[in-house]
Amino acid sequence: DVKVTQSSRYLVKRTGEKVFLECVQDMDHENMFWYRQDPGLGLRLIYFSYDVKMKEKGDIPEGYSVSREKKERFSLILESASTNQTSMYLCASSLIRDTDTEAFFGQGTRLTVV
Amino acid sequence: DQQVKQNSPSLSVQEGRISILNCDYTNSMFDYFLWYKKYPAEGPTFLISISSIKDKNEDGRFTVFLNKSAKHLSLHIVPSQPGDSAVYFCAALEITGANSKLTFGKGITLSVRP
């Protein structure tokens, strides 16, 4: 079974704190993604990575950065957390081939910034 | 500008009837389209996908239809069951070389009434 694991289910952080959200996958996937989900806005792509040390901005990268030092781990960093970053964060990974079109998601991290 | 659009925020159907969830897109370069189902406090789970070169894919109660000329796809669930009540996301995958980018719609909340 493919497994994508996010380090925390729930996090509460203070405004201005530096926040690390960790994601690990065990399927040797090249592609990894970070999304946030907000009511009425669906899933919005923050950053994605298609290889170690490679990263690409998604649709809403402002206020975030990422790190991919190892293939299996993709970290999302909030340099200085703000209340508008309170959200559900979802990590996904995929291995894109002609017939393999599925992306696997972690269970999500509910982040609250107070 | 949204490239993947789910224009209806919600749908309510009677158990046993057909649920039709619609999705429109603007980018003709998308290679695959995927549907995900999400329960509250869980990560999205993959349902079914379709390649851009096909017009139909069926898996049990779930069928996805793709109309490339209209840039429209739909997910049919027949027969609908109360356990199908969830948020459904349409997603589109663009593959460029070894990279891929997955873009989601805002989601539609399906309620199946017993």
Side-chain angles (χ1 to χ4, degrees):
Chain A
D1 260 5
V2 174
K3 201 157 186 189
V4 179
T5 305
Q6 294 181 229
S7 52
S8 306
R9 289 296 299 270
Y10 300 95
L11 272 180
V12 180
K13 296 291 181 181
R14 294 192 182 278
T15 301
E17 274 194 76
K18 190 168 185 176
V19 182
F20 292 86
L21 303 183
E22 305 286 349
C23 176
V24 178
Q25 50 95 2
D26 64 359
M27 284 303 292
D28 203 35
H29 287 173
E30 285 90 2
N31 301 304
M32 295 188 75
F33 309 82
W34 273 107
Y35 294 87
R36 62 179 281 179
Q37 184 196 11
D38 301 288
L41 297 176
L43 288 168
R44 294 180 293 166
L45 181 64
I46 305 171
Y47 266 97
F48 65 103
S49 167
Y50 50 87
D51 203 350
V52 175
K53 297 193 185 293
M54 304 302 287
K55 59 186 179 185
E56 290 286 341
K57 291 181 180 178
D59 301 315
I60 51 162
E62 296 78 20
Y64 303 94
S65 63
V66 290
S67 172
R68 187 119 181 249
E69 296 296 320
K70 293 184 178 180
K71 192 175 185 180
E72 67 270 19
R73 186 179 297 270
F74 192 34
S75 304
L76 180 69
I77 303 155
L78 287 66
E79 295 290 341
S80 176
S82 62
T83 54
N84 63 14
Q85 292 178 310
T86 292
S87 186
M88 168 72 91
Y89 289 87
L90 291 156
C91 173
S93 75
S94 69
L95 174 62
I96 303 303
R97 295 186 181 133
D98 287 342
T99 57
D100 186 357
T101 58
E102 182 176 353
F104 298 88
F105 282 85
Q107 77 278 27
T109 298
R110 171 68 66 185
L111 172 67
T112 303
V113 182
V114 298
Chain B
D1 192 26
Q2 261 202 304
Q3 294 190 63
V4 179
K5 301 176 186 178
Q6 294 176 260
N7 294 317
S8 302
S10 63
L11 174 69
S12 179
V13 299
Q14 192 77 36
E15 181 179 5
R17 301 282 179 93
I18 181 172
S19 296
I20 300 176
L21 310 179
N22 293 307
C23 179
D24 298 294
Y25 63 95
T26 57
N27 184 354
S28 58
M29 301 302 291
F30 287 134
D31 299 284
Y32 291 92
F33 301 90
L34 303 87
W35 284 94
Y36 285 83
K37 176 180 177 180
K38 186 180 184 301
Y39 293 117
E42 293 182 14
T45 54
F46 172 77
L47 267 179
I48 191 169
S49 66
I50 186 167
S51 165
S52 61
I53 61 171
K54 296 189 176 177
D55 54 22
K56 180 182 174 182
N57 189 24
E58 196 171 348
D59 184 4
R61 295 186 297 117
F62 302 94
T63 303
V64 57
F65 295 93
L66 175 63
N67 182 336
K68 277 196 80 172
S69 61
K71 292 192 176 68
H72 175 84
L73 64 151
S74 58
L75 174 68
H76 293 213
I77 306 174
V78 184
S80 301
Q81 300 172 353
D84 295 330
S85 298
V87 178
Y88 288 78
F89 291 98
C90 171
L93 185 69
E94 183 178 2
I95 302 171
T96 50
N99 313 330
S100 62
K101 183 178 176 183
L102 195 59
T103 304
F104 284 83
K106 290 185 178 181
I108 178 171
T109 300
L110 173 66
S111 300
V112 180
R113 306 185 303 274

